[in-house]
Amino acid sequence: MNINYYSMKKLLNTLTLLFTIVGICSAHGMEIKEGNMISGHVIEAYTENNIPYANILIVETGEGTSSNEQGQFEFRRLKPGTYTLRVSAIGYITQSKQVTVNSGYTAVIHFKMKEEALMINEVVVSANRNEVRRQDAPVVVNVINPLLFEKVNSTDMAKSLNYVPGLRVENNCQNCGFPQVRINGLEGPYSQILINSRPVISALSGVYGLEQIPVNMIERVEVVRGGGSALFGANAVGGTINIITKDPVDNSFQISGNFNNYGGRAWEQYMGANASLVAKDNSYGIAVYESYRNRNPYDHDEDGFSELGKLNMNTFGLRTYYRPTTMSRISIEYHTTNETRRGGNKFDYQPHESDITEQTKHIINSGGIAYDYAWNEYRDKLSFYGSVQHTDRDSYYGAQRDPNAYGKTNDLTWVVGATYTGMMKKCLFAPATLTVGSEFQENRLHDIMTGYNRDMKQDVRIASAFLQNEWDMKLFSLLLGVRMDKHNLIDNPILSPRVNLLFKPSGNLQARLTYSTGFRAPQAYDEDLHVTAVGGEGVQITLADNLQEERSNSFSGSIDWTTQLGHWQSNILVEGFYTGLSDVFVLEDIGQNSSGFAIKERRNGSGAHVYGVNVETKFAHGKDVSLQMGVTAQRSRYKNPEAWTEVDGVELTTKRMPRTPELYGYFTLSTEPMKNLSIALSGTYTGDMIVPHYAGYIQNDRMEETPDFFDLGLKADYTFVLRDHIKLQMSAGVQNIFDSFQKDLDKGEFRDSGYFYGPTAPRTFFVGFKIMN
């Protein structure tokens, strides 16, 4: 007994001493035996509770992992050297620390995370093609994250973009539901949509593309207003929307479902699933997603014709990576969408047996591969990439039981490129980061509509090169860049310069000035590949014979200030913008072509000015209450009145750009009144605007002034913790509480289906669930 007692006591004393030594080493970020690895712990700063599922990134290599249920993480098989670890978690301030790795010991490091409810310092890539904190970015970058998708009950990207200053999504067709995003008052073709920084969204896939991107494939969406991201393509006159898909960072799964009832008359079902798997040594990982969506047609005014079309869509995708070495990474992604949508009437009949039908069947396949390699202690990085998207579309755009209105469209877009990034200790007068690269993209489109005598072939090829240098001084950063594009439809190469100046007197205050140029080529855009039914016949868009490229000059200035007001965190962003357009593209109703079909022609106008101010404010009290608001006040004017139609031999003109309200905004308010319960209130406001209204249901063409709209939504979530760390979240709510919907809809088969504005859905009740680990 005594021997066992003293042996046990000696063992306990030894263990106590061992744990004390390990604890002291951990507290001081020191090293313990077993080399070439990092072991860490992520906890809350004040409570010291573990933070599971935090994202940990080695900045120099791009290698990432996540913390486990106990907040712990590891990196193995590292080369000796000094590394920067960046830790981020939703609701906490991102933190970075340096740690030294050697072959003899394991480096142990602790991260004590402070709460950050405002989410104002995420890492972004859309500002300069390099990873940078949002507050250090040379241009203003707004980030949409999964928290916003949850608050506004969004299942596709189109429903989320209204909650960014300067952005507004509208439905441009009463039949098929053609969504279009406008940035700073400029219509959809002025903006560039990217997937993982690659321009693979073509004119055809852009017609319905916003609704075809489910949110369960998205890690975040980065939005740059204006031409400040010209390195991604000079077509980004209005701005850039960069969709970053989910990367595998941990072993996890999620299953979700959502059920909506539109106005008590139509149902929509959504199901989604995600899963990811990562190797213990982070040498490889894969993330997959799948979603299914089915919507019945909705008829708001009970005239037998839909305002929201019938929709059935399946999507599947994956993103995977492999690290041959700690200095390199190969990434592969694949996405596929199979979608059928139809609007009009007589849904049980064949399209040509109905009075009006707009129907499309899309099969979209896209993918990409990238290889990244770093050297010189990660100060130099070289990237090669290629992406491709193929779209096959069968369509029917017809009225009056036209048997010849069927169409077939084949579209192929591909892009290849290379980028080098080098960090210089000094370039002329300060440390700098040089980015240089080249890119080639091609879009081959063949659109056949025999009923409209249309057989359009368009081959667009753009060879590009870009160069930028960003000097980082103590109080300032200066970025100078230029992009050269040789477009096969334009005789001469086009140079698009870019200048950005960032003044950062403190970590809480940034001021920015930006100048950039851009262009739009004389080619077919998304709305050209969509046929609107007016007065019982389809209306096509054609290009004028002498159509010239459209040029732009953009200026912006902003102040971004973050402060603490007692226990409240607050942030305010004020941004002024101006874009001048020369040879602006305008649409004019020119009657009928030689075959007797109604035609609108895209031609060059005199020019236009778009200017205004965006204001965004954020307030948060920890996780208890969070309020975010944004408002845009702007004007969009042609330099000279532009003709848009002709009535009885008299041209009707407008100087104000159609479909551009001069005031619009949004807000979100969320609170957690008790553990596991969250409540979110959200809303959007759209001011009055002018919208063309063409004859058919009405006697003559006329320009209408619309009323303003306020769309308010409410959602509540409750989370149940099940066994083995499995969670079940139940949700319910209502969107468009006041049923703010267009009152003067055209009716019947002779309606102008393009005369559609305001909120895209009526009052909608919904319930949902989510199962996750």
Side-chain angles (χ1 to χ4, degrees):
M1 284 291 292
N2 291 338
I3 294 176
N4 290 338
Y5 170 77
Y6 286 113
S7 298
M8 183 65 68
K9 184 176 180 181
K10 184 177 180 180
L11 175 62
L12 289 174
N13 290 336
T14 302
L15 289 174
T16 301
L17 179 61
L18 176 63
F19 282 122
T20 301
I21 293 173
V22 171
I24 293 173
C25 292
S26 299
H28 291 83
M30 295 174 63
E31 301 166 335
I32 59 177
K33 199 66 178 174
E34 189 177 340
N36 295 334
M37 68 175 289
I38 299 173
S39 177
H41 195 192
V42 185
I43 60 176
E44 290 185 344
Y46 302 113
T47 65
E48 296 193 355
N49 291 331
N50 299 325
I51 301 180
Y53 313 121
N55 296 318
I56 302 96
L57 175 75
I58 300 179
V59 175
E60 291 81 2
T61 67
E63 187 175 352
T65 188
S66 61
S67 58
N68 60 19
E69 288 285 345
Q70 288 73 43
Q72 299 166 339
F73 66 90
E74 287 183 349
F75 288 100
R76 295 178 179 269
R77 296 170 53 195
L78 297 175
K79 290 185 177 181
T82 300
Y83 297 88
T84 303
L85 266 61
R86 179 187 295 150
V87 178
S88 61
I90 295 178
Y92 298 91
I93 298 174
T94 299
Q95 207 177 120
S96 296
K97 288 184 180 181
Q98 285 194 331
V99 61
T100 300
V101 173
N102 61 47
S103 59
Y105 296 91
T106 294
V108 179
I109 190 168
H110 281 197
F111 287 87
K112 294 185 177 181
M113 308 289 286
K114 295 181 180 180
E115 285 191 354
E116 158 67 313
L118 294 182
M119 302 291 291
I120 58 174
N121 206 20
E122 305 99 324
V123 175
V124 296
V125 297
S126 301
N128 54 12
R129 279 187 177 260
N130 302 311
E131 284 193 347
V132 62
R133 292 179 184 272
R134 180 177 172 270
Q135 289 181 329
D136 297 327
V139 296
V140 175
V141 182
N142 284 89
V143 178
I144 303 174
N145 58 40
L147 281 178
L148 179 65
F149 301 150
E150 293 283 342
K151 290 178 183 179
V152 302
N153 194 49
S154 176
T155 55
D156 63 74
M157 202 180 73
K159 296 178 181 178
S160 309
L161 293 177
N162 282 319
Y163 295 89
V164 176
L167 269 66
R168 194 175 63 83
V169 177
E170 63 179 14
N171 193 329
N172 283 358
C173 182
Q174 196 176 358
N175 289 330
C176 67
F178 163 31
Q180 193 175 88
V181 61
R182 292 172 177 261
I183 302 182
N184 284 352
L186 294 171
E187 61 183 352
Y190 286 95
S191 303
Q192 190 165 48
I193 300 177
L194 310 170
I195 295 182
N196 294 322
S197 303
R198 312 291 182 241
V200 293
I201 302 294
S202 66
L204 177 65
S205 56
V207 177
Y208 305 108
L210 294 178
E211 275 199 312
Q212 292 170 341
I213 301 175
V215 298
N216 71 325
M217 71 175 275
I218 299 174
E219 178 65 34
R220 66 183 187 276
V221 179
E222 300 179 7
V223 178
V224 178
R225 294 180 291 271
S229 60
L231 286 190
F232 289 106
N235 284 331
V237 174
T240 298
I241 299 172
N242 193 3
I243 302 161
I244 309 299
T245 58
K246 288 186 176 179
D247 209 27
V249 295
D250 56 13
N251 298 322
S252 62
F253 78 91
Q254 178 178 293
I255 300 172
S256 60
N258 207 64
F259 305 91
N260 300 277
N261 181 267
Y262 294 101
R265 299 174 188 169
W267 284 92
E268 177 180 320
Q269 305 87 37
Y270 168 85
M271 293 292 295
N274 294 76
S276 64
L277 176 68
V278 179
K280 287 185 177 181
D281 61 358
N282 301 294
S283 60
Y284 64 85
I286 184 171
V288 297
Y289 73 89
E290 189 278 340
S291 70
Y292 168 78
R293 185 179 177 192
N294 183 73
R295 182 179 69 203
N296 296 325
Y298 170 73
D299 178 10
H300 185 76
D301 53 9
E302 299 183 304
D303 65 342
F305 294 80
S306 65
E307 272 66 57
L308 288 176
K310 184 178 181 180
L311 177 67
N312 185 276
M313 181 171 64
N314 287 278
T315 61
F316 170 80
L318 62 87
R319 192 175 185 188
T320 183
Y321 72 85
Y322 171 67
R323 297 183 183 277
T325 68
T326 57
M327 311 285 282
S328 60
R329 168 176 163 141
I330 300 172
S331 303
I332 298 175
E333 61 182 303
Y334 170 72
H335 312 280
T336 183
T337 299
N338 192 321
E339 182 213 64
T340 299
R341 65 173 63 216
R342 176 174 173 173
N345 74 331
K346 297 183 179 179
F347 289 89
D348 295 330
Y349 290 74
Q350 292 297 315
H352 63 271
E353 297 175 328
S354 66
D355 299 303
I356 294 179
T357 286
E358 294 185 22
Q359 176 178 285
T360 59
K361 295 182 179 180
H362 290 88
I363 298 177
I364 304 172
N365 288 281
S366 64
I369 184 169
Y371 175 72
D372 301 311
Y373 178 72
W375 71 96
N376 190 20
E377 296 183 348
Y378 313 101
R379 298 181 64 84
D380 297 276
K381 180 181 177 181
L382 186 62
S383 299
F384 298 94
Y385 58 86
S387 297
V388 62
Q389 183 181 83
H390 178 263
T391 302
D392 187 78
R393 182 182 80 170
D394 293 320
S395 62
Y396 180 90
Y397 290 101
Q400 300 291 293
R401 304 170 189 85
D402 184 356
N404 299 313
Y406 289 93
K408 178 76 174 179
T409 311
N410 191 283
D411 182 78
L412 177 66
T413 300
W414 60 275
V415 57
V416 294
T419 303
Y420 164 76
T421 302
M423 301 173 63
M424 297 175 284
K425 293 182 178 179
K426 189 171 185 180
C427 177
L428 298 179
F429 51 86
T433 300
L434 172 70
T435 302
V436 60
S438 63
E439 195 171 78
F440 181 84
Q441 57 180 300
E442 181 179 25
N443 173 241
R444 290 184 296 200
L445 170 73
H446 190 191
D447 185 39
I448 301 173
M449 289 187 175
T450 56
Y452 295 98
N453 292 338
R454 183 162 87 179
D455 188 345
M456 181 176 67
K457 292 183 179 180
Q458 178 175 271
D459 192 354
V460 174
R461 297 181 301 276
I462 307 175
S464 308
F466 50 86
L467 169 70
Q468 76 172 21
N469 200 51
E470 184 175 3
W471 288 272
D472 188 8
M473 296 158 276
K474 187 173 182 180
L475 295 178
F476 293 90
S477 70
L478 173 66
L479 186 149
L480 300 178
V482 64
R483 180 183 176 102
M484 183 187 72
D485 293 281
K486 178 59 184 78
H487 197 295
N488 67 306
L489 300 180
I490 301 174
D491 292 335
N492 299 313
I494 293 180
L495 292 177
S496 303
R498 169 191 181 190
V499 181
N500 302 102
L501 179 64
L502 169 64
F503 175 55
K504 41 185 180 180
S506 70
N508 295 327
L509 179 64
Q510 301 87 39
R512 297 175 174 89
L513 293 174
T514 298
Y515 167 74
S516 61
T517 66
F519 73 94
R520 290 176 67 200
Q523 66 185 68
Y525 289 93
D526 52 5
E527 60 182 328
D528 306 5
L529 304 171
H530 168 267
V531 179
T532 301
V534 180
E537 63 179 353
V539 178
Q540 299 181 72
I541 296 176
T542 62
L543 307 182
D545 292 335
N546 59 346
L547 186 66
Q548 301 295 313
E549 72 270 12
E550 179 180 352
R551 300 291 191 103
S552 69
N553 286 275
S554 298
F555 303 85
S556 69
S558 65
I559 295 177
D560 194 349
W561 181 47
T562 304
T563 189
Q564 195 83 18
L565 301 174
H567 295 291
W568 290 78
Q569 288 179 299
S570 64
N571 172 261
I572 183 168
L573 169 70
V574 180
E575 176 188 44
F577 61 89
Y578 169 86
T579 299
L581 303 172
S582 59
D583 294 320
V584 63
F585 293 164
V586 295
L587 288 176
E588 182 179 358
D589 187 354
I590 60 173
Q592 297 180 335
N593 63 11
S594 58
S595 301
F597 298 111
I599 298 294
K600 291 181 185 179
E601 184 179 72
R602 174 170 283 114
R603 59 177 182 79
N604 292 114
S606 58
H609 302 286
V610 179
Y611 54 93
V613 61
N614 294 307
V615 180
E616 183 180 38
T617 60
K618 301 176 183 178
F619 299 93
H621 190 278
K623 296 181 181 180
D624 297 334
V625 181
S626 177
L627 173 65
Q628 181 171 330
M629 299 179 292
V631 63
T632 298
Q634 66 161 73
R635 297 193 72 180
S636 303
R637 296 290 187 270
Y638 296 117
K639 291 181 180 179
N640 298 314
E642 299 290 347
W644 63 277
T645 191
E646 184 177 298
V647 177
D648 296 330
V650 179
E651 283 190 339
L652 301 185
T653 63
T654 178
K655 196 169 183 180
R656 180 179 176 183
M657 285 188 176
R659 294 185 173 273
T660 56
E662 297 188 342
L663 187 67
Y664 52 97
Y666 74 94
F667 84 94
T668 61
L669 174 64
S670 60
T671 181
E672 295 185 7
M674 56 184 292
K675 186 177 181 180
N676 297 338
L677 175 65
S678 63
I679 300 173
L681 190 67
S682 60
T684 61
Y685 171 79
T686 304
D688 61 87
M689 56 186 172
I690 60 172
V691 177
H693 193 181
Y694 292 97
Y697 180 72
I698 61 174
Q699 186 173 358
N700 293 309
D701 299 348
R702 62 176 184 246
M703 190 69 78
E704 307 277 12
E705 183 169 344
T706 71
D708 58 354
F709 290 92
F710 181 61
D711 182 350
L712 183 66
L714 177 65
K715 181 184 179 183
D717 298 315
Y718 191 85
T719 302
F720 301 89
V721 180
L722 309 179
R723 58 186 299 177
D724 298 326
H725 308 292
I726 304 298
K727 298 178 182 178
L728 170 64
Q729 183 184 87
M730 301 297 297
S731 61
V734 56
Q735 294 171 314
N736 200 352
I737 293 174
F738 302 123
D739 202 20
S740 184
F741 202 75
Q742 182 178 345
K743 298 293 192 298
D744 62 339
L745 293 163
D746 278 7
K747 297 183 179 181
E749 59 185 302
F750 297 107
R751 68 184 184 178
D752 173 9
S753 62
Y755 183 62
F756 195 49
Y757 59 87
T760 57
R763 182 186 295 119
T764 303
F765 294 93
F766 63 87
V767 294
F769 72 91
K770 184 184 295 183
I771 301 173
M772 52 196 165
N773 68 344

